[in-house]
Amino acid sequence: MSELPAPFRWSGDHITADLPGGHVLFTTRRGGVSHPPYDSLNLGPWTEDDAASVDANRAAVTRLVGRPIASARQVHGTAVVSIDARPGRAADPRQDPPEADALVTDRPDVAVAVLAADCLPILVLGHGAVAAAHAGWRGLAAGVVDVAVESVRDAQVADHAPMVAVIGPGAGGCCYEVGDEVREAFAEHGDAVRDGRRIDLKAIAAERLRDAGVATVHDVGLCTLCAPAGMLFSHRRDGGTTGRQMGIAWRT
């Protein structure tokens, strides 16, 4: 097991942290029932994995979290779904889920989650509300981080309560090579986030979270591209045929 920075810790096969306002969990690819190349805890219902295996994996994670997990069909955009009056619609990915890349809830009995396999799973916790955002480079450039933070700000019970954000496992600046289109999308961030053809999406996300008013930002410090292949799924490393892990947040 890799050593994790505070406040993260290993809980069995997965990464967790207790934070002001809630809990977060980042799954790994370990501990499920899926067969190669999706071995073993694939949580992505839109992969070519056996549907029954994905359902069993998601049920196991739901039991671990102890409440329904709301998710959406991610499209690399900035739409946000509020989990309030109709939590079931977003909680079941096989029942015509909404297209969205961020979810927010003020309910203590529902968790919100995003799927990832190189894109960044970003979780935002406020006073009485939590959000999950899926941030690939397109969503990050379009402002999904700002949308997630604003959704928590609108849903929390205290207008100016400090927020905390966590950035989960994703493609790191050590490995994420990009073309001109991506570099141009983040030109405003300057050379601090670039190293040759590599770009640091995690540094960009952290900067945007702070600019949006998040008081504290934590990074789990794991790159999906260069972490052990048996630990995390990576779409790029695995040639596009791989599973998905989850970033999950819920209120205390």
Side-chain angles (χ1 to χ4, degrees), residues 140-163:
L140 191 57
V144 70
V145 163
D146 303 87
V147 168
V149 173
E150 190 62 28
S151 69
V152 171
R153 184 175 288 114
D154 290 344
Q156 65 182 2
V157 296
D159 290 342
H160 301 291
M163 287 180 278

Side-chain angles (χ1 to χ4, degrees), residues 23-250:
H23 302 286
V24 301
L25 176 73
F26 295 106
T27 65
T28 69
R29 67 185 297 169
R30 298 167 175 162
V33 300
S34 293
H35 298 292
Y38 303 102
D39 49 318
S40 63
L41 191 71
N42 174 30
L43 302 173
W46 298 287
T47 62
E48 296 298 319
D49 193 6
D50 175 66
S53 295
V54 176
D55 288 344
N57 291 338
R58 292 177 73 104
V61 174
T62 299
R63 290 192 296 272
L64 185 64
V65 172
R67 67 208 68 211
I69 300 172
S71 58
R73 190 179 185 99
Q74 298 163 187
V75 293
H76 297 275
T78 61
V80 59
V81 171
S82 178
I83 310 302
D84 42 37
R86 295 194 299 164
R89 182 166 184 261
D92 185 351
R94 300 190 186 278
Q95 298 298 316
D96 188 27
E99 292 187 347
D101 285 84
L103 302 97
V104 63
T105 190
D106 60 359
R107 297 169 57 115
D109 58 338
V110 177
V112 289
V114 289
L115 296 164
D118 283 337
C119 295
L120 304 182
I122 299 175
L123 309 175
V124 183
L125 296 83
H127 187 49
V130 296
H134 164 253
W137 79 262
R138 294 184 186 277
L140 191 57
V144 70
V145 163
D146 303 87
V147 168
V149 173
E150 190 62 28
S151 69
V152 171
R153 184 175 288 114
D154 290 344
Q156 65 182 2
V157 296
D159 290 342
H160 301 291
M163 287 180 278
V164 178
V166 294
I167 301 172
C174 49
C175 299
Y176 187 53
E177 293 189 4
V178 300
D180 292 341
E181 182 183 14
V182 180
R183 287 195 297 274
E184 290 170 5
F186 300 109
E188 65 190 87
H189 292 271
D191 292 337
V193 300
R194 293 195 293 270
D195 181 9
R197 299 193 65 82
R198 294 188 297 272
I199 195 165
D200 192 341
L201 289 186
K202 291 189 173 195
I204 294 167
E207 182 176 333
R208 295 199 170 185
L209 285 162
R210 295 186 184 99
D211 288 346
V214 175
T216 305
V217 179
H218 299 290
D219 182 354
V220 73
L222 290 174
C223 171
T224 47
L225 289 163
C226 64
M231 178 188 294
L232 297 167
F233 296 112
S234 169
H235 185 270
R236 181 175 288 199
R237 183 198 64 220
D238 298 338
T241 303
T242 195
R244 300 293 186 274
Q245 50 251 347
M246 257 187 188
I248 312 165
W250 64 98

